[in-house]
Amino acid sequence: QVQLVESGGGLVQPGGSLRLSCAASGTIFSTDSMGWYRQAPGKGRELVATINSIGITNYADSVKGRFTISRDSALATLYLQMNSLKAEDTAVYYCAMTLKTQPTARMSDYWGQGMQVTVSS
């Protein structure tokens, strides 16, 4: 059973930084795309950033130049460095990974449980 465990969220002042981590546990054969998503109160879940298996990244316009997504495929770990945080970045952040657990298995999507990031003075 694969689980994604997120860490690094919390309360930060505007202009501050946080580094989110997401580690996959369990039997993992290979990983494909990974990403971060967020859901603010009263809004739907939105893409923050994604990174594919060869390191190509994609960002929401609202975070470009402030957030950096990275991964360690060998450790099945995903990161999100968030700088110059704004109040509008406040949301529950979720990590997601597409991976397979065995050589003959299909690629499947897995999600973390979500963690709160609050940007407030």
Side-chain angles (χ1 to χ4, degrees):
Q1 183 75 10
V2 174
Q3 286 189 319
L4 303 188
V5 179
E6 299 151 338
S7 60
L11 174 65
V12 63
Q13 292 186 340
S17 298
L18 281 176
R19 188 185 193 221
L20 307 184
S21 299
C22 173
S25 64
T27 301
I28 298 166
F29 176 74
S30 66
T31 58
D32 197 347
S33 293
M34 302 181 182
W36 289 97
Y37 298 78
R38 67 187 181 186
Q39 186 166 15
K43 296 185 177 180
R45 190 172 298 187
E46 64 174 359
L47 179 149
V48 175
T50 60
I51 183 168
N52 70 7
S53 59
I54 58 172
I56 295 175
T57 58
N58 179 55
Y59 294 92
D61 288 343
S62 59
V63 307
K64 282 181 181 176
R66 300 188 298 123
F67 291 9
T68 302
I69 189 172
S70 60
R71 62 188 283 169
D72 185 329
S73 296
L75 298 178
T77 302
L78 180 67
Y79 305 97
L80 185 69
Q81 178 67 41
M82 306 189 295
N83 298 327
S84 302
L85 282 160
K86 305 176 182 179
E88 49 264 45
D89 295 318
T90 296
V92 176
Y93 283 70
Y94 300 87
C95 65
M97 294 186 185
T98 301
L99 55 87
K100 61 166 66 176
T101 57
Q102 300 176 33
T104 56
R106 295 176 61 183
M107 283 287 183
S108 298
D109 295 330
Y110 294 86
W111 288 83
Q113 77 282 3
M115 61 182 163
Q116 181 69 43
V117 171
T118 302
V119 184
S120 175
S121 54

